[in-house]
Amino acid sequence: MPTATAVAVLAVLLVLAAGLALTTGSVHVPWSVTWRILAHRVGGTAWVPDPDWSRADDLIIADTRLPRVLLAGLVGAALTVAGMVLQAVVRNPLAGPGVIGVSAGAATGAVVVMRFGLLGAGALTLNVAAFAGALLTLAVVLVIARSGGRITVLRLILGGVAVGSVLSALTSLLVLTAPSPTLASQVLFWTLGGFGAARWDVLVVPAVVLGAGVVVLVSRARDLDLLLAGDESAGALGLDVHRFRQAMFVVVAVLVGVTVAVSGVIGFVGLMLPHVVRFLVGSGHRRGLPVAVLVGALFTVLADLVARTVVIPEELPVGIVTALVGGPFFVWLLRRDGRREGAR
């Protein structure tokens, strides 16, 4: 599919999904009222001279649902971009922040500062701790996966599963031994992922990180494409493979760490959606990265809508929804690769 067509279609679908997410929930607000509230927030009485909705509707749409929809979009976009880069860097379509334990590492880093009350600088401390946990976990998994100078598929997945399991157990231990039951329940919900903490001030860091990350990655799209051809070929064409790979790992850790800090662990997004992107526009990263932003945002906005509405008035952690979709996809991916290897 031409990139321009894919971007146009996905942008329209994203706007429609965002509109549906704004109007739908435990309190229904009609489309006409929703758009008038948003227009009034942007243009004031010059755009909407006679505001006739209630104060409750205004707060629900403009201060609760809109930040939540934007946060869901940012997180989905960041995880999809991170997964796409990770799969290119390790040359493995089964790689993803959740599968190889990076998300669990970020969660552990964040839970440590929450559990022991080390939030000296507030949200910034949480972001830094999540980034450090993600980067350290990624380094450990890659050391485990490397064999004879190469990163093998089996060792990468098994190493990621093992490290992720240990970190998940450590996180559970921290939660269960938390002195405050309220803190324990909050952290437990957070480890399953969700956007319930969305506020306007929470959006700043992930928006800046995603924007800067995409700009950097698009500027290095050619080098990411070279990696797909193999280390020897990329080196022969002038790429310092070792340094470039390290730099990309740092970018992935930042993207994953920031998203985990604001939304908790949301699995399978970074594994599954890069395949959708490649199906739509091919494997080129200059075309794929902008499409990845839209695909990831669209998926998580819809997943959050399902999580909020499937058991009204209760709310599911969005990580449950993404796991129910991503788990079968991962199994299908494993069986597809198995059939391909068997045919060789």
Side-chain angles (χ1 to χ4, degrees), residues 14 17-18 21 64-80 194-199 202-203 206-207 210 259 262-263 266 269 273 292-308 318 322:
L14 181 57
T64 303
R65 289 183 186 168
L66 183 57
R68 181 166 182 148
V69 169
L70 293 175
L71 181 63
L74 289 171
V75 169
L79 289 175
T80 306
F195 306 112
R199 302 187 309 273
V202 171
L203 300 176
L210 175 63
T259 57
V262 296
S263 64
I266 299 176
V269 175
L273 298 185
V293 171
L294 294 171
V295 168
L298 175 62
F299 177 78
T300 43
V301 168
L302 291 175
D304 184 51
L305 176 61
V306 172
R308 286 193 294 112
V318 73
T322 60

Side-chain angles (χ1 to χ4, degrees), residues 244-258:
F244 178 69
R245 184 169 277 138
Q246 286 183 329
M248 292 299 101
F249 284 150
V250 172
V251 173
V252 169
V254 171
L255 288 170
V256 175
V258 167

